Amino acid sequence: MANNTKLGSLELEIRKVDLLYQQNVGGLIAVLLNSFVYIYISRTSVSPLFLGIWFAILLSSVIARVVTMKRWHKTKDQIRTIAETKIWLYLMFFFLLISGFSWGALGAIVGNKPVVVQITTALVLSCMMAGALITYVSYRRAVACVILPACFGWTFGYLSSDQPHHLVLGVLVLGYASLLTFLSRNLNFSVLNSLALDVELKTSEERLRMSMESSEALTWDWDVANDEFHCQGNMNLFPGGAEQLKTLLRPAIEKQMDLDVEHIVQENDQTYHHIAIRGKPIKSKSGKVLRMAGICWDVTAKRNEDILRRERDLHEAANQAKSVFLANASHEIRTPLSAILGFTDALLRSPDLTKDDRHDVESIYRQGNYMGSLIHDLLDLSKIETNRLYVQQAPMDPVREIEDSLAVVKYLMEDKGLHLKINYNTLVPKIIQSDSVRFRQVLINLLSNAIKFTADGTIILDVACTTDTNNQATLSIKVTDSGIGMDKLTQSNLFQPFVRGEDPKVQRVQGSGLGLALSLNLMRRMGGDLKLVSSTPGQGTTFEMNLDIGPIANLELVKAEEFKRNTREKVHPEKESNFLEGKHILVVDDSEDLRNLMRRYLQREKATVEVSENGADAVEKAMANHFDVVLMDIKMPVMDGYKATASLRAKGYDKPIVALTAQASVDGEQMSYKMGFDGYLSKPVDLSLLKQILKSRAT
């Protein structure tokens, strides 16, 4: 509002000064004409020297005013502040003062002159002062610059003369000056109001014009009585012109009602646009529409946005339904799959299997693990699509996570006779903030792919920490294999879900085509990226995962320690033996097979095991007996694991309760801890992890 007022004041000031200079043209003509008349009549009664000096001064001021006026017209459009107008205003005041004192000089010598000269002087002075009142009325000070010197000189001439009634004449001149001053005040007020209204009107018109141009709208006004139709604005809204618009307006006029509709208009290029039309009628006392005015504008973009919003909502609802279906389906699949893997693992521990039987059971175990990883990847990809995948930021030792990832895949490398080489090319951060689970998931996927597609040779891991020009650090890990490589077509579709290369060598390797697509999304959610560096058919492939880890100044850089890389054994019962001996454990699961499997696992470790098939039964048994730990399934009939655990905690039960689920996820783990669980395990139970939970709970 302040800016608008400032702009309006500047515009008004420029208009006032401009009016002063425009009216100055008429004033100059009057000065010259009256000067010639006075010189002609008084040439025999007034000193030629006086007349010459007097006219020279007037003529010089006239020339100066003409030059200044031309300069003003060239400069006025470049004025940006009110202060810049002051110099032009003061110049005009100066020239008008010269003119006023010049006319006052005539009045000062009039007292003892002949009657003809006195009358001529009176007429000239009256004409010039009245003319100044009308001509320079935009500024009262401009009027005063002419009237006051002229009147004072004229009054002085009469008061100082010895003519009869000279005092009366002097007083009359003063009265005339007072009258002119009063009239100038009223005229100035009227003129300024008119200028202000004119400036405000032009400003409003300019704002309306700019608004219409920016909105590309069209205003219309239909004088129905005289059938005069006026439009202003974007006529491109109606290819048929004003007649097309009148056709659309006619029904509203016939119904004598307000107009608030949208029409679909076909353009000449066969495209369609949604045009909103709003209007209000002006009616006679009898209710007949005399006139109607309104506005039209294009709402196609808004309608398209509405359509896209509805489609987005439908898409999100479909994704949500798909996620719910996948979550439920995966649970129903994982529960029997956990039993299959568990019983298979139990068989593999048996020394009585023949070589062929062991090979068959290992195949079942391997395919079951693949199915489990496929379900896990599908769930993660679904969560990413619905923006429900949780990525945590927590302290993480990158070297330890790299070494742990290598330990997971090392036995796969040894089975194929591959070699591993790891290079820490720079100092690396001791601790960073990231999601260790997702970090390992991506790295293990890259390492697994490298192993799967490499028949012999070496897998190389290059680790480096670099900085950019802003001292922002990036942890870079390159995985290079000497495998089959990829052609250009495969590379172009590499990160698309379910897309795999058509090479027979690729098709022979088990895989779904989900891993890289999922890994790329995970890296981007962690604030990093995953890219293919190079790949040559028959020579190998290099992938690089980059993770932004913040300002280098906030990191402690260390030399990577060479951790001992332990191979994860396929069967490792001896590592957890005897730590459960004598423990009393309650297993809660709605699946009889899984209850039997858990019973067998735990009894093998010399634990005493009781079972329950739902949460309600588990609460009763836990409160009635002493258990060292409760292994609680999450999804069960009657009462689920969350409610059962909450009920036990509410009753004061303080023994360890470990969540046991076939649907392991970061979100589920957080919910479990929130509901009172002490640990979170996926089926079948990893006894070493159970041991860690019990040890941490005991301390």
Side-chain angles (χ1 to χ4, degrees):
M1 187 68 181
N3 290 338
N4 292 340
T5 303
K6 189 177 294 185
L7 290 173
S9 299
L10 174 62
E11 179 68 20
L12 179 61
E13 197 67 26
I14 293 174
R15 288 290 301 278
K16 288 165 62 178
V17 175
D18 191 50
L19 180 62
L20 193 64
Y21 275 96
Q22 287 178 4
Q23 296 293 81
N24 179 54
V25 176
L28 294 177
I29 294 173
V31 166
L32 292 175
L33 289 177
N34 281 287
S35 299
F36 291 144
V37 170
Y38 181 81
I39 291 172
Y40 176 77
I41 293 176
S42 61
R43 66 185 184 281
T44 58
S45 305
V46 180
S47 166
L49 179 62
F50 174 84
L51 289 176
I53 295 173
W54 175 79
F55 183 72
I57 292 173
L58 271 180
L59 184 61
S60 298
S61 72
V62 167
I63 294 172
R65 284 159 73 176
V66 171
V67 173
T68 304
M69 182 173 62
K70 290 183 177 181
R71 293 287 301 276
W72 160 256
H73 287 306
K74 291 181 179 180
T75 308
K76 66 180 181 179
D77 292 334
Q78 302 172 11
I79 293 176
R80 294 294 177 267
T81 63
I82 293 178
E84 294 178 57
T85 64
K86 297 302 181 184
I87 181 66
W88 301 99
L89 187 61
Y90 294 149
L91 278 173
M92 181 56 70
F93 287 169
F94 175 72
F95 295 142
L96 292 178
L97 275 174
I98 293 175
S99 181
F101 279 112
S102 297
W103 299 118
L106 295 185
I109 65 172
V110 74
N112 297 314
K113 299 300 178 184
V115 174
V116 174
V117 174
Q118 291 187 33
I119 293 173
T120 302
T121 301
L123 290 173
V124 168
L125 291 181
S126 298
C127 177
M128 293 309 302
M129 288 190 290
L133 174 66
I134 298 172
T135 304
Y136 309 120
V137 72
S138 60
Y139 281 98
R140 292 176 62 191
R141 285 178 292 175
V143 176
C145 286
V146 177
I147 291 178
L148 294 181
C151 282
F152 288 148
W154 195 7
T155 301
F156 174 79
Y158 277 121
L159 294 178
S160 61
S161 70
D162 55 0
Q163 295 288 337
H165 312 297
H166 63 281
L167 293 178
V168 176
L169 291 173
V171 172
L172 287 175
V173 171
L174 286 177
Y176 180 62
S178 300
L179 177 62
L180 292 179
T181 302
F182 177 76
L183 291 175
S184 72
R185 176 178 177 276
N186 292 337
L187 285 174
N188 176 261
F189 180 77
S190 299
V191 169
L192 290 186
N193 275 345
S194 177
L195 282 176
L197 289 173
D198 187 53
V199 169
E200 185 176 351
L201 178 60
K202 288 188 175 181
T203 302
S204 298
E205 288 178 348
E206 180 65 15
R207 288 176 186 157
L208 179 60
R209 183 189 64 78
M210 292 175 64
S211 298
M212 295 292 292
E213 287 180 357
S214 63
S215 64
E216 296 186 350
L218 170 71
T219 59
W220 50 270
D221 183 359
W222 191 356
D223 183 350
V224 180
N226 299 313
D227 196 22
E228 294 179 358
F229 194 80
H230 174 71
C231 296
Q232 183 176 359
N234 183 18
M235 278 303 300
N236 292 328
L237 294 177
F238 299 97
E243 289 301 319
Q244 183 180 8
L245 176 56
K246 289 171 69 175
T247 301
L248 298 175
L249 298 177
R250 215 166 256 118
I253 293 176
E254 292 173 355
K255 294 179 181 179
Q256 302 180 0
M257 57 184 289
D258 291 356
L259 187 62
D260 187 359
V261 296
E262 286 185 14
H263 286 282
I264 299 177
V265 176
Q266 184 178 4
E267 301 290 339
N268 294 328
D269 59 0
Q270 304 303 312
T271 59
Y272 291 88
H273 290 268
H274 293 262
I275 308 299
I277 305 177
R278 305 290 185 269
K280 199 170 187 65
I282 299 174
K283 303 177 183 178
S284 64
K285 292 182 180 180
S286 62
K288 183 180 179 181
V289 175
L290 301 176
R291 187 173 185 174
M292 197 172 196
I295 187 170
C296 308
W297 70 97
D298 193 330
V299 293
T300 305
K302 186 177 184 301
R303 289 293 159 264
N304 290 340
E305 288 176 4
D306 292 340
I307 293 171
L308 290 174
R309 189 179 299 110
R310 287 195 296 270
E311 290 181 351
R312 183 199 64 193
D313 293 342
L314 290 173
H315 180 68
E316 289 179 353
N319 272 337
Q320 180 70 22
K322 181 181 70 175
S323 297
V324 171
F325 168 76
L326 283 174
N328 292 331
S330 69
H331 179 268
E332 298 305 321
I333 295 172
R334 278 180 170 182
T335 297
L337 183 61
S338 296
I340 293 171
L341 290 174
F343 284 114
T344 305
D345 183 61
L347 285 173
L348 288 173
R349 295 170 185 267
S350 172
D352 300 328
L353 289 177
T354 66
K355 183 178 180 181
D356 290 340
D357 289 341
R358 183 172 295 277
H359 180 271
D360 293 342
V361 174
E362 284 180 347
S363 296
I364 295 171
Y365 190 77
R366 185 168 53 254
Q367 295 299 326
N369 277 321
Y370 169 67
M371 178 178 261
S373 65
L374 178 59
I375 293 171
H376 182 75
D377 288 349
L378 280 171
L379 278 175
D380 279 348
L381 195 62
S382 175
K383 288 180 180 179
I384 288 172
E385 289 177 350
T386 55
N387 201 29
R388 294 190 302 112
L389 184 74
Y390 176 79
V391 175
Q392 64 176 352
Q393 294 291 321
M396 181 189 96
D397 180 350
V399 176
R400 173 61 64 187
E401 299 303 331
I402 291 171
E403 298 293 338
D404 287 348
S405 300
L406 291 172
V408 171
V409 300
K410 187 175 182 182
Y411 77 90
L412 296 174
M413 299 180 63
E414 292 176 348
D415 286 347
K416 296 188 70 172
L418 301 176
H419 301 286
L420 171 67
K421 183 179 180 182
I422 179 169
N423 301 317
Y424 290 100
N425 299 320
T426 65
L427 297 177
V428 293
K430 184 176 182 180
I431 298 294
I432 63 174
Q433 295 291 323
S434 189
D435 190 321
S436 59
V437 175
R438 301 303 182 185
F439 180 88
R440 286 197 307 271
Q441 184 177 348
V442 174
L443 182 54
I444 290 172
N445 178 259
L446 294 181
L447 291 169
S448 299
N449 283 346
I451 294 168
K452 284 192 296 184
F453 295 107
T454 303
D456 57 70
T458 303
I459 307 296
I460 302 173
L461 202 68
D462 289 295
V463 183
C465 180
T466 59
T467 58
D468 60 14
T469 55
N470 297 320
N471 290 320
Q472 296 293 311
T474 300
L475 180 64
S476 171
I477 302 175
K478 290 183 180 179
V479 179
T480 303
D481 64 57
S482 55
I484 62 176
M486 292 177 283
D487 57 27
K488 296 296 183 182
L489 179 61
T490 303
Q491 293 179 37
S492 64
N493 298 310
L494 192 60
F495 294 101
Q496 299 299 317
F498 303 104
V499 175
R500 306 186 71 207
E502 297 299 327
D503 192 302
K505 295 179 181 179
V506 175
Q507 295 297 323
R508 282 198 296 267
V509 177
Q510 189 178 57
S512 63
L514 278 177
L516 286 175
L518 179 59
S519 297
L520 176 62
N521 277 285
L522 289 175
M523 286 304 300
R524 287 178 175 174
R525 284 177 176 270
M526 288 192 291
D529 198 11
L530 174 65
K531 62 182 180 180
L532 172 67
V533 177
S534 64
S535 185
T536 304
Q539 297 183 19
T541 301
T542 299
F543 283 94
E544 182 178 20
M545 54 184 289
N546 295 308
L547 185 63
D548 296 334
I549 53 178
I552 191 69
N554 298 343
L555 302 174
E556 180 184 354
L557 300 179
V558 296
K559 186 176 182 180
E561 298 178 8
E562 292 295 330
F563 295 106
K564 183 178 179 182
R565 302 169 194 143
N566 296 318
T567 302
R568 178 171 293 184
E569 302 293 340
K570 298 177 186 177
V571 180
H572 41 86
E574 66 280 5
K575 294 184 178 179
E576 298 89 15
S577 61
N578 300 326
F579 85 94
L580 290 177
E581 184 175 356
K583 300 292 185 183
H584 194 190
I585 301 175
L586 175 62
V587 176
V588 188
D589 201 304
D590 61 325
S591 171
E592 182 179 358
D593 289 335
L594 288 177
R595 291 198 303 271
N596 292 333
L597 176 63
M598 288 303 302
R599 188 199 301 271
R600 180 181 297 186
Y601 265 17
L602 298 172
Q603 286 179 345
R604 183 182 296 164
E605 303 301 322
K606 301 180 181 180
T608 302
V609 182
E610 291 190 33
V611 295
S612 291
E613 64 180 13
N614 60 67
D617 184 51
V619 171
E620 292 182 7
K621 287 187 177 181
M623 296 304 298
N625 299 278
H626 171 79
F627 292 103
D628 294 291
V629 62
V630 177
L631 302 181
M632 182 83 72
D633 188 21
I634 299 297
K635 293 189 70 173
M636 296 181 292
V638 184
M639 179 183 289
D640 63 29
Y642 290 140
K643 292 180 181 178
T645 301
S647 177
L648 286 172
R649 295 307 188 201
K651 295 176 183 294
Y653 189 83
D654 61 353
K655 294 296 181 180
I657 306 176
V658 178
L660 192 60
T661 178
Q663 190 175 328
S665 68
V666 176
D667 295 339
E669 184 174 2
Q670 288 187 331
M671 176 61 72
S672 297
Y673 286 124
K674 183 178 178 181
M675 297 302 294
F677 284 94
D678 296 285
Y680 186 81
L681 295 176
S682 60
K683 302 174 185 177
V685 172
D686 187 329
L687 296 181
S688 62
L689 294 178
L690 178 59
K691 180 179 179 180
Q692 291 176 13
I693 293 171
L694 294 179
K695 280 187 175 181
S696 64
R697 184 67 167 78
T699 56

